[in-house]
Amino acid sequence: MFDQPERLSALNGVVKPGIFGREIAGGPGITLSERPYLSIIQVAAYAETAGETGAVIQDLIGVSPPTEPNRSILAGSTQICWTGPHKWWIVDTDQRHSAESLASQLGDSAAVTAQGHGRSCIRLSGPNARDLLAKGCTLDFHASRFSAGHCAQTSLGHVNALINYIDDEPLFDLFVLRSYAVSFWEWTTDAAQEFGYKVIPS
């Protein structure tokens, strides 16, 4: 048995708390923070085993995974995002559920993969959050089209991202590949300059 290596954020030393960009009456229009060390488990079932897989996830988490495309569910600290037919991400702030234990419960009915080590997550909020997203993406982020409980995999800025709409505050989680995290952070903060932005500690 060997010790697991300590996880190091791809944005370590890059994310610095403070207020930046244009000075806006009433305060910054954008708030950013990193959500490091998340547990992200990808579950991919077959068409004939999707129901069985969903039942196992419900027993484990307490809610069934969404079956409608581009939808997400929030259950306590856990997010479940639809990422494809019979395919989901289970995202949590701790390691309560391991990919290994879930894989053992599902057996051959689904493929289970740990993704947390390969992804970075930036939390975006503030009154201008939708405006910032619109600067780098062709999706319609109007509240009537994209609201809490929606998620989408798309190009944002210059990288592929999973955008999960958490709350109508508005509050978004933006997931990108770890290798693009620094570049994506630089794009995000540059795009936020005109609105003024605040970076808060993780």
Side-chain angles (χ1 to χ4, degrees), residues 59-148:
D59 287 343
L60 185 69
I61 308 290
V63 294
S64 296
T67 56
E68 187 177 353
N70 300 318
R71 292 294 189 270
S72 65
I73 292 173
L74 184 64
S77 64
T78 305
Q79 306 170 35
I80 307 179
C81 301
W82 185 98
T83 58
H86 325 303
K87 187 176 178 181
W88 305 276
W89 271 14
I90 301 172
V91 182
D92 211 336
T93 54
D94 57 33
Q95 310 296 318
R96 289 183 301 155
H97 314 297
S98 70
E100 292 79 8
S101 64
L102 184 55
S104 67
Q105 294 182 59
L106 289 171
D108 294 333
S109 63
V112 180
T113 313
Q115 297 284 335
H117 61 284
R119 297 294 193 278
S120 292
C121 179
I122 294 170
R123 176 155 283 186
L124 165 68
S125 62
N128 293 114
R130 295 178 186 274
D131 301 313
L132 186 148
L133 293 174
K135 292 177 74 170
C137 183
T138 58
L139 293 182
D140 185 353
F141 289 104
H142 190 274
S144 65
R145 305 291 297 172
F146 200 89
S147 56

Coordinates of all heavy atoms in Angstrom, one line a residue, residues 59-148:
D59 N -29.3 5.5 -4.6 CA -29.0 4.9 -3.3 C -27.8 5.6 -2.6 O -27.8 5.8 -1.4 CB -28.8 3.4 -3.4 CG -30.1 2.7 -3.7 OD1 -31.2 3.3 -3.6 OD2 -30.0 1.5 -4.2
L60 N -26.8 5.9 -3.4 CA -25.6 6.5 -2.9 C -25.7 8.0 -2.5 O -25.3 8.4 -1.5 CB -24.4 6.3 -3.9 CG -23.0 6.7 -3.5 CD1 -22.5 5.8 -2.4 CD2 -22.1 6.7 -4.7
I61 N -26.3 8.7 -3.5 CA -26.4 10.2 -3.3 C -27.7 10.7 -2.7 O -27.7 11.7 -2.0 CB -26.2 10.9 -4.7 CG1 -24.9 10.4 -5.4 CG2 -26.1 12.4 -4.5 CD1 -23.6 10.8 -4.8
G62 N -28.7 10.0 -3.0 CA -30.1 10.4 -2.5 C -31.0 11.0 -3.6 O -32.1 11.3 -3.3
V63 N -30.4 11.2 -4.8 CA -31.2 11.6 -5.9 C -30.8 10.9 -7.2 O -29.7 10.4 -7.3 CB -31.0 13.2 -6.2 CG1 -31.6 14.0 -5.1 CG2 -29.6 13.5 -6.4
S64 N -31.8 10.8 -8.1 CA -31.5 10.1 -9.4 C -30.7 11.1 -10.3 O -31.0 12.3 -10.3 CB -32.8 9.7 -10.1 OG -33.5 8.7 -9.3
P65 N -29.8 10.6 -11.1 CA -29.1 11.5 -12.0 C -30.1 11.9 -13.1 O -31.0 11.2 -13.5 CB -28.0 10.6 -12.6 CG -28.5 9.2 -12.5 CD -29.3 9.2 -11.2
P66 N -29.9 13.1 -13.7 CA -30.8 13.6 -14.7 C -30.7 12.8 -16.0 O -29.6 12.4 -16.4 CB -30.2 15.1 -14.9 CG -28.8 15.1 -14.5 CD -28.8 14.1 -13.3
T67 N -31.8 12.6 -16.6 CA -31.9 11.9 -17.9 C -32.1 12.8 -19.0 O -31.8 12.4 -20.2 CB -33.0 10.8 -17.8 OG1 -34.2 11.5 -17.5 CG2 -32.7 9.8 -16.8
E68 N -32.5 14.0 -18.8 CA -32.7 15.0 -19.8 C -31.4 15.6 -20.2 O -30.6 16.0 -19.3 CB -33.7 16.1 -19.4 CG -34.1 17.1 -20.5 CD -35.1 18.1 -20.0 OE1 -35.6 17.9 -18.8 OE2 -35.4 19.0 -20.7
P69 N -31.1 15.8 -21.4 CA -29.8 16.4 -21.8 C -29.5 17.7 -21.2 O -30.5 18.6 -21.1 CB -29.9 16.4 -23.4 CG -30.9 15.4 -23.7 CD -31.9 15.4 -22.6
N70 N -28.3 18.0 -20.9 CA -27.8 19.3 -20.4 C -28.6 19.8 -19.2 O -28.9 21.0 -19.1 CB -27.9 20.3 -21.6 CG -27.1 19.9 -22.8 OD1 -26.0 19.5 -22.6 ND2 -27.6 20.1 -24.0
R71 N -28.8 18.9 -18.3 CA -29.4 19.2 -17.0 C -28.5 18.8 -15.9 O -27.6 17.9 -16.0 CB -30.7 18.5 -16.8 CG -31.8 19.1 -17.8 CD -32.1 20.5 -17.5 NE -33.3 21.0 -18.3 CZ -33.2 21.5 -19.5 NH1 -32.0 21.7 -20.1 NH2 -34.3 21.9 -20.1
S72 N -28.6 19.4 -14.7 CA -27.8 19.0 -13.6 C -28.7 19.1 -12.3 O -29.7 19.7 -12.3 CB -26.6 20.0 -13.4 OG -27.0 21.3 -13.1
I73 N -28.3 18.4 -11.3 CA -29.0 18.3 -10.0 C -28.0 18.6 -8.9 O -26.9 18.1 -8.9 CB -29.6 16.9 -9.8 CG1 -30.7 16.7 -10.9 CG2 -30.2 16.7 -8.4 CD1 -31.3 15.2 -10.8
L74 N -28.5 19.4 -8.0 CA -27.7 19.7 -6.8 C -28.3 19.1 -5.6 O -29.5 19.3 -5.3 CB -27.6 21.2 -6.6 CG -26.7 21.7 -5.4 CD1 -25.3 21.4 -5.7 CD2 -26.9 23.3 -5.3
A75 N -27.6 18.2 -4.9 CA -28.1 17.6 -3.7 C -27.1 17.8 -2.6 O -26.0 17.1 -2.5 CB -28.3 16.1 -3.9
G76 N -27.3 18.8 -1.7 CA -26.4 19.1 -0.7 C -25.1 19.7 -1.3 O -25.2 20.6 -2.1
S77 N -24.0 19.1 -1.1 CA -22.7 19.5 -1.7 C -22.4 18.8 -3.0 O -21.4 19.1 -3.6 CB -21.6 19.3 -0.7 OG -21.4 17.9 -0.4
T78 N -23.3 18.0 -3.4 CA -23.0 17.1 -4.6 C -23.8 17.6 -5.8 O -25.0 17.9 -5.8 CB -23.4 15.7 -4.3 OG1 -22.8 15.2 -3.2 CG2 -23.1 14.8 -5.5
Q79 N -23.0 17.8 -6.9 CA -23.6 18.1 -8.2 C -23.6 16.8 -9.1 O -22.6 16.1 -9.1 CB -22.8 19.2 -8.9 CG -22.6 20.5 -8.2 CD -21.6 21.4 -8.9 OE1 -21.5 21.4 -10.1 NE2 -20.8 22.1 -8.1
I80 N -24.7 16.6 -9.8 CA -24.7 15.5 -10.8 C -25.0 16.2 -12.1 O -26.1 16.7 -12.3 CB -25.7 14.4 -10.5 CG1 -25.5 13.9 -9.1 CG2 -25.5 13.3 -11.5 CD1 -26.4 12.8 -8.7
C81 N -24.1 16.1 -13.1 CA -24.2 16.8 -14.4 C -24.4 15.8 -15.5 O -23.6 14.8 -15.5 CB -23.0 17.7 -14.7 SG -22.7 19.0 -13.5
W82 N -25.4 16.0 -16.3 CA -25.5 15.1 -17.5 C -24.4 15.5 -18.5 O -24.3 16.7 -18.9 CB -26.9 15.4 -18.1 CG -27.3 14.5 -19.3 CD1 -28.0 13.4 -19.3 CD2 -26.9 14.7 -20.7 NE1 -28.1 12.8 -20.6 CE2 -27.5 13.7 -21.5 CE3 -26.2 15.7 -21.4 CZ2 -27.4 13.6 -22.8 CZ3 -26.1 15.6 -22.8 CH2 -26.7 14.6 -23.5
T83 N -23.6 14.6 -19.0 CA -22.5 14.9 -19.9 C -22.7 14.2 -21.2 O -21.8 14.3 -22.1 CB -21.2 14.7 -19.3 OG1 -21.1 13.3 -18.9 CG2 -20.9 15.6 -18.1
G84 N -23.7 13.3 -21.4 CA -23.9 12.6 -22.6 C -25.0 11.5 -22.3 O -25.4 11.3 -21.1
P85 N -25.5 10.8 -23.3 CA -26.5 9.8 -23.1 C -26.0 8.7 -22.1 O -24.9 8.1 -22.3 CB -26.7 9.2 -24.5 CG -26.3 10.3 -25.4 CD -25.2 11.0 -24.7
H86 N -26.7 8.6 -21.0 CA -26.4 7.6 -19.9 C -25.0 7.9 -19.3 O -24.3 7.0 -18.9 CB -26.4 6.2 -20.5 CG -27.5 5.9 -21.5 ND1 -28.8 6.2 -21.3 CD2 -27.4 5.5 -22.8 CE1 -29.5 5.9 -22.4 NE2 -28.6 5.5 -23.3
K87 N -24.6 9.2 -19.3 CA -23.3 9.5 -18.8 C -23.4 10.7 -17.9 O -24.1 11.7 -18.2 CB -22.4 9.8 -20.0 CG -20.9 10.0 -19.7 CD -20.1 10.2 -21.0 CE -18.7 10.5 -20.8 NZ -18.0 10.7 -22.1
W88 N -22.7 10.7 -16.7 CA -22.8 11.8 -15.8 C -21.5 12.1 -15.1 O -20.6 11.2 -15.0 CB -23.8 11.4 -14.7 CG -25.2 11.1 -15.2 CD1 -26.2 11.9 -15.5 CD2 -25.7 9.7 -15.4 NE1 -27.3 11.2 -15.9 CE2 -27.0 9.9 -15.9 CE3 -25.1 8.4 -15.3 CZ2 -27.8 8.8 -16.3 CZ3 -25.9 7.4 -15.7 CH2 -27.2 7.5 -16.1
W89 N -21.4 13.3 -14.6 CA -20.3 13.6 -13.6 C -21.0 13.8 -12.2 O -22.0 14.4 -12.1 CB -19.7 15.0 -14.0 CG -18.6 14.9 -14.9 CD1 -18.2 13.9 -15.7 CD2 -17.7 16.0 -15.2 NE1 -17.1 14.2 -16.5 CE2 -16.8 15.5 -16.2 CE3 -17.5 17.3 -14.8 CZ2 -15.7 16.3 -16.7 CZ3 -16.5 18.1 -15.3 CH2 -15.6 17.6 -16.3
I90 N -20.3 13.2 -11.3 CA -20.7 13.3 -9.9 C -19.6 14.2 -9.2 O -18.5 13.7 -9.1 CB -20.9 12.0 -9.1 CG1 -21.9 11.1 -9.8 CG2 -21.2 12.2 -7.7 CD1 -22.0 9.7 -9.3
V91 N -19.9 15.4 -8.8 CA -19.0 16.4 -8.4 C -19.2 16.7 -6.9 O -20.4 17.0 -6.5 CB -19.0 17.7 -9.2 CG1 -17.9 18.7 -8.7 CG2 -18.9 17.4 -10.6
D92 N -18.2 16.6 -6.1 CA -18.4 16.8 -4.6 C -17.2 17.5 -4.1 O -16.1 17.5 -4.7 CB -18.6 15.5 -3.9 CG -19.5 15.7 -2.6 OD1 -19.6 16.9 -2.1 OD2 -20.1 14.8 -2.2
T93 N -17.4 18.2 -2.9 CA -16.3 18.9 -2.3 C -15.4 18.1 -1.5 O -14.3 18.6 -1.0 CB -16.9 20.0 -1.4 OG1 -17.8 19.4 -0.5 CG2 -17.6 21.1 -2.2
D94 N -15.7 16.8 -1.3 CA -14.8 15.9 -0.5 C -14.8 14.6 -1.2 O -15.3 14.4 -2.3 CB -15.3 15.8 1.0 CG -16.7 15.3 1.1 OD1 -17.1 14.5 0.2 OD2 -17.4 15.7 2.0
Q95 N -14.2 13.6 -0.5 CA -13.9 12.3 -1.1 C -14.9 11.3 -0.5 O -14.5 10.1 -0.3 CB -12.5 11.9 -0.9 CG -11.5 13.0 -1.4 CD -11.5 13.3 -2.8 OE1 -11.6 12.4 -3.6 NE2 -11.5 14.6 -3.2
R96 N -16.1 11.7 -0.2 CA -17.0 10.7 0.4 C -17.3 9.5 -0.4 O -17.4 8.4 0.1 CB -18.4 11.4 0.7 CG -18.3 12.4 1.9 CD -19.7 13.0 2.1 NE -20.3 13.6 0.9 CZ -21.6 13.7 0.6 NH1 -22.4 13.2 1.5 NH2 -22.0 14.3 -0.5
H97 N -17.4 9.7 -1.7 CA -17.6 8.6 -2.6 C -16.4 8.5 -3.6 O -16.1 9.4 -4.3 CB -18.9 8.9 -3.5 CG -20.0 9.4 -2.6 ND1 -20.6 8.6 -1.7 CD2 -20.7 10.6 -2.6 CE1 -21.6 9.3 -1.1 NE2 -21.7 10.5 -1.7
S98 N -15.8 7.3 -3.5 CA -14.6 7.1 -4.4 C -15.1 6.4 -5.7 O -16.1 5.7 -5.7 CB -13.6 6.3 -3.7 OG -14.0 4.9 -3.5
A99 N -14.3 6.6 -6.7 CA -14.6 5.9 -8.0 C -14.5 4.4 -7.8 O -15.2 3.7 -8.4 CB -13.6 6.4 -9.0
E100 N -13.5 4.0 -7.0 CA -13.3 2.6 -6.8 C -14.6 1.9 -6.1 O -15.0 0.8 -6.6 CB -12.1 2.3 -5.9 CG -10.8 2.6 -6.6 CD -10.5 4.1 -6.6 OE1 -11.2 4.9 -5.9 OE2 -9.5 4.6 -7.2
S101 N -15.1 2.6 -5.1 CA -16.3 2.0 -4.4 C -17.5 2.0 -5.3 O -18.3 1.0 -5.3 CB -16.5 2.7 -3.1 OG -16.9 4.1 -3.3
L102 N -17.7 3.1 -6.0 CA -18.8 3.1 -7.0 C -18.7 2.1 -8.1 O -19.7 1.4 -8.4 CB -18.9 4.5 -7.5 CG -20.1 4.8 -8.4 CD1 -21.4 4.5 -7.7 CD2 -20.1 6.2 -8.9
A103 N -17.5 1.9 -8.6 CA -17.2 0.9 -9.6 C -17.5 -0.5 -9.1 O -18.1 -1.3 -9.8 CB -15.8 1.0 -10.1
S104 N -17.2 -0.8 -7.9 CA -17.5 -2.1 -7.3 C -18.9 -2.3 -7.2 O -19.4 -3.5 -7.3 CB -16.8 -2.3 -6.0 OG -17.3 -1.4 -5.0
Q105 N -19.7 -1.3 -6.9 CA -21.2 -1.5 -6.8 C -21.8 -1.6 -8.1 O -22.8 -2.4 -8.3 CB -21.8 -0.3 -6.1 CG -21.4 -0.1 -4.6 CD -22.0 1.1 -3.9 OE1 -23.3 1.2 -3.9 NE2 -21.3 2.0 -3.5
L106 N -21.3 -1.0 -9.2 CA -21.9 -1.0 -10.5 C -21.4 -2.2 -11.3 O -22.1 -2.6 -12.2 CB -21.6 0.3 -11.2 CG -22.3 1.5 -10.7 CD1 -21.7 2.8 -11.4 CD2 -23.8 1.4 -11.0
G107 N -20.3 -2.8 -11.0 CA -19.8 -3.9 -11.7 C -19.6 -3.6 -13.2 O -19.1 -2.6 -13.6
D108 N -20.2 -4.5 -14.0 CA -20.0 -4.4 -15.5 C -21.1 -3.5 -16.1 O -21.1 -3.4 -17.3 CB -20.0 -5.7 -16.1 CG -18.8 -6.6 -15.8 OD1 -17.7 -6.0 -15.4 OD2 -18.9 -7.8 -15.8
S109 N -22.0 -2.9 -15.3 CA -23.1 -2.2 -15.8 C -22.7 -0.7 -16.3 O -23.4 -0.1 -17.0 CB -24.2 -2.1 -14.8 OG -23.8 -1.4 -13.7
A110 N -21.5 -0.3 -15.8 CA -21.1 1.1 -16.2 C -19.6 1.2 -16.0 O -19.0 0.5 -15.2 CB -21.8 2.1 -15.3
A111 N -19.0 2.1 -16.8 CA -17.6 2.5 -16.6 C -17.5 3.7 -15.7 O -18.2 4.7 -15.9 CB -17.0 2.8 -18.0
V112 N -16.6 3.6 -14.7 CA -16.4 4.6 -13.7 C -15.0 5.1 -13.7 O -14.1 4.3 -13.7 CB -16.8 4.1 -12.3 CG1 -16.6 5.2 -11.3 CG2 -18.2 3.5 -12.3
T113 N -14.8 6.4 -13.8 CA -13.5 7.0 -13.9 C -13.4 8.2 -13.0 O -14.2 9.1 -13.0 CB -13.2 7.4 -15.4 OG1 -13.5 6.4 -16.3 CG2 -11.7 7.7 -15.5
A114 N -12.3 8.3 -12.3 CA -12.0 9.5 -11.5 C -11.4 10.6 -12.4 O -10.5 10.4 -13.1 CB -11.0 9.2 -10.4
Q115 N -12.0 11.8 -12.3 CA -11.6 12.9 -13.2 C -11.1 14.1 -12.4 O -10.6 15.1 -13.0 CB -12.9 13.3 -14.0 CG -13.4 12.3 -15.0 CD -12.5 12.1 -16.2 OE1 -11.8 13.0 -16.6 NE2 -12.6 10.9 -16.8
G116 N -11.2 14.1 -11.1 CA -10.9 15.3 -10.3 C -9.5 15.8 -10.5 O -9.2 17.0 -10.5
H117 N -8.5 14.8 -10.7 CA -7.1 15.2 -10.8 C -6.8 15.9 -12.1 O -5.8 16.6 -12.3 CB -6.3 14.0 -10.7 CG -6.5 12.9 -11.8 ND1 -7.7 12.1 -11.7 CD2 -5.9 12.6 -12.9 CE1 -7.7 11.4 -12.8 NE2 -6.6 11.7 -13.6
G118 N -7.8 15.7 -13.1 CA -7.5 16.3 -14.4 C -8.3 17.5 -14.8 O -8.3 18.0 -15.9
R119 N -9.1 18.0 -13.8 CA -9.9 19.2 -14.1 C -9.7 20.3 -13.0 O -9.3 20.0 -11.9 CB -11.4 18.8 -14.0 CG -11.9 17.8 -15.0 CD -11.8 18.4 -16.4 NE -12.5 17.6 -17.4 CZ -12.0 16.5 -18.0 NH1 -10.8 16.1 -17.7 NH2 -12.7 15.9 -18.9
S120 N -9.9 21.5 -13.5 CA -9.9 22.7 -12.6 C -11.3 23.3 -12.6 O -11.9 23.3 -13.7 CB -8.8 23.7 -13.0 OG -7.5 23.2 -12.8
C121 N -11.7 23.9 -11.5 CA -13.0 24.5 -11.5 C -12.9 25.9 -11.0 O -12.3 26.2 -9.9 CB -13.9 23.7 -10.6 SG -15.6 24.4 -10.4
I122 N -13.5 26.8 -11.7 CA -13.6 28.2 -11.3 C -15.1 28.6 -11.0 O -15.9 28.3 -11.9 CB -13.0 29.2 -12.3 CG1 -11.5 28.9 -12.5 CG2 -13.3 30.6 -12.0 CD1 -10.9 29.6 -13.7
R123 N -15.4 29.1 -9.9 CA -16.8 29.5 -9.6 C -16.9 31.0 -10.0 O -16.1 31.9 -9.6 CB -17.1 29.3 -8.1 CG -18.4 29.8 -7.7 CD -19.0 29.1 -6.5 NE -19.5 27.8 -6.8 CZ -20.1 27.0 -6.0 NH1 -20.3 27.4 -4.7 NH2 -20.5 25.8 -6.4
L124 N -18.0 31.3 -10.7 CA -18.3 32.6 -11.3 C -19.6 33.1 -10.8 O -20.6 32.3 -10.8 CB -18.3 32.5 -12.8 CG -18.9 33.7 -13.6 CD1 -18.0 35.0 -13.4 CD2 -19.0 33.3 -15.0
S125 N -19.7 34.3 -10.2 CA -20.9 34.9 -9.8 C -20.9 36.4 -10.0 O -19.9 36.9 -10.4 CB -21.2 34.5 -8.3 OG -20.2 35.0 -7.5
G126 N -22.0 37.0 -9.6 CA -22.0 38.5 -9.8 C -23.0 38.9 -10.8 O -23.4 38.1 -11.7
P127 N -23.5 40.2 -10.7 CA -24.5 40.6 -11.7 C -24.1 40.6 -13.1 O -25.0 40.6 -14.0 CB -24.8 42.1 -11.2 CG -23.6 42.4 -10.3 CD -23.1 41.2 -9.7
N128 N -22.8 40.6 -13.4 CA -22.3 40.6 -14.8 C -21.8 39.2 -15.2 O -21.1 39.1 -16.3 CB -21.3 41.7 -15.0 CG -21.8 43.1 -14.9 OD1 -21.4 43.8 -14.0 ND2 -22.7 43.5 -15.8
A129 N -22.1 38.2 -14.5 CA -21.6 36.9 -14.8 C -22.1 36.4 -16.2 O -21.3 35.9 -17.0 CB -22.1 35.9 -13.7
R130 N -23.3 36.6 -16.5 CA -23.8 36.2 -17.8 C -23.1 37.0 -19.0 O -22.8 36.5 -20.0 CB -25.3 36.5 -17.9 CG -26.2 35.6 -17.0 CD -27.6 35.9 -17.1 NE -28.5 35.2 -16.2 CZ -28.9 34.0 -16.3 NH1 -28.7 33.4 -17.5 NH2 -29.7 33.4 -15.4
D131 N -22.9 38.3 -18.7 CA -22.2 39.1 -19.7 C -20.8 38.6 -20.0 O -20.3 38.6 -21.1 CB -22.1 40.6 -19.2 CG -23.5 41.2 -19.0 OD1 -24.4 41.0 -19.8 OD2 -23.7 41.8 -17.9
L132 N -20.1 38.2 -18.9 CA -18.8 37.6 -19.1 C -18.8 36.4 -19.9 O -18.0 36.2 -20.9 CB -18.1 37.4 -17.8 CG -16.6 36.9 -17.8 CD1 -15.9 37.4 -16.6 CD2 -16.5 35.4 -17.9
L133 N -19.7 35.5 -19.6 CA -19.8 34.2 -20.4 C -20.1 34.5 -21.9 O -19.6 33.8 -22.8 CB -20.9 33.3 -19.8 CG -20.6 32.8 -18.4 CD1 -21.8 32.0 -17.9 CD2 -19.4 31.8 -18.4
A134 N -21.0 35.5 -22.1 CA -21.4 35.8 -23.5 C -20.2 36.3 -24.3 O -20.2 36.2 -25.5 CB -22.5 36.8 -23.5
K135 N -19.2 36.9 -23.7 CA -18.0 37.4 -24.4 C -17.2 36.2 -25.0 O -16.4 36.5 -25.9 CB -17.1 38.2 -23.4 CG -17.7 39.5 -23.0 CD -16.9 40.2 -22.0 CE -15.7 40.9 -22.7 NZ -14.9 41.8 -21.8
G136 N -17.3 35.0 -24.4 CA -16.5 34.0 -24.9 C -17.2 32.7 -25.4 O -16.6 31.7 -25.6
C137 N -18.5 32.8 -25.6 CA -19.3 31.6 -25.9 C -20.5 32.0 -26.8 O -21.1 33.1 -26.6 CB -19.7 30.9 -24.6 SG -20.6 29.4 -24.9
T138 N -20.9 31.1 -27.6 CA -22.0 31.4 -28.5 C -23.4 30.9 -27.9 O -24.4 31.2 -28.5 CB -21.8 30.7 -29.9 OG1 -21.7 29.3 -29.7 CG2 -20.6 31.3 -30.6
L139 N -23.4 30.3 -26.8 CA -24.6 29.9 -26.2 C -25.4 31.1 -25.7 O -24.9 32.2 -25.4 CB -24.4 29.0 -25.0 CG -23.8 27.6 -25.2 CD1 -23.6 26.8 -23.9 CD2 -24.6 26.8 -26.2
D140 N -26.7 30.9 -25.7 CA -27.6 32.0 -25.2 C -27.8 31.8 -23.7 O -28.3 30.8 -23.2 CB -29.0 31.8 -25.8 CG -30.0 33.0 -25.4 OD1 -29.6 33.8 -24.6 OD2 -31.1 33.0 -26.0
F141 N -27.2 32.8 -22.9 CA -27.2 32.7 -21.4 C -28.3 33.5 -20.8 O -28.3 33.8 -19.6 CB -25.9 33.1 -20.9 CG -24.8 32.2 -21.1 CD1 -23.8 32.4 -22.1 CD2 -24.7 31.0 -20.4 CE1 -22.8 31.5 -22.4 CE2 -23.7 30.0 -20.7 CZ -22.8 30.3 -21.6
H142 N -29.3 34.0 -21.6 CA -30.5 34.7 -21.1 C -31.2 33.8 -20.1 O -31.2 32.5 -20.3 CB -31.4 35.1 -22.2 CG -32.5 36.0 -21.7 ND1 -33.7 35.6 -21.1 CD2 -32.5 37.4 -21.7 CE1 -34.4 36.6 -20.8 NE2 -33.7 37.8 -21.1
A143 N -31.7 34.4 -19.0 CA -32.3 33.6 -17.9 C -33.5 32.7 -18.4 O -33.7 31.7 -17.8 CB -32.8 34.5 -16.8
S144 N -34.1 33.1 -19.5 CA -35.2 32.3 -20.0 C -34.7 31.1 -20.8 O -35.5 30.2 -21.0 CB -36.1 33.2 -21.0 OG -35.3 33.6 -22.1
R145 N -33.5 31.1 -21.1 CA -32.9 30.0 -21.9 C -31.9 29.1 -21.1 O -31.7 27.9 -21.4 CB -32.2 30.5 -23.2 CG -33.0 31.4 -24.0 CD -34.1 30.6 -24.7 NE -33.6 29.6 -25.6 CZ -34.3 28.7 -26.3 NH1 -35.6 28.7 -26.1 NH2 -33.7 27.9 -27.1
F146 N -31.3 29.7 -20.2 CA -30.2 29.0 -19.4 C -30.4 29.4 -18.0 O -30.0 30.5 -17.6 CB -28.8 29.3 -20.0 CG -27.8 28.3 -19.6 CD1 -27.5 27.3 -20.4 CD2 -27.0 28.5 -18.5 CE1 -26.5 26.4 -20.1 CE2 -26.0 27.6 -18.2 CZ -25.7 26.5 -19.0
S147 N -30.9 28.5 -17.2 CA -31.2 28.8 -15.8 C -30.7 27.8 -14.8 O -30.1 26.8 -15.3 CB -32.7 29.0 -15.6 OG -33.4 27.9 -16.0
A148 N -30.9 27.9 -13.5 CA -30.4 27.0 -12.6 C -30.9 25.6 -12.9 O -32.0 25.4 -13.2 CB -30.8 27.4 -11.2

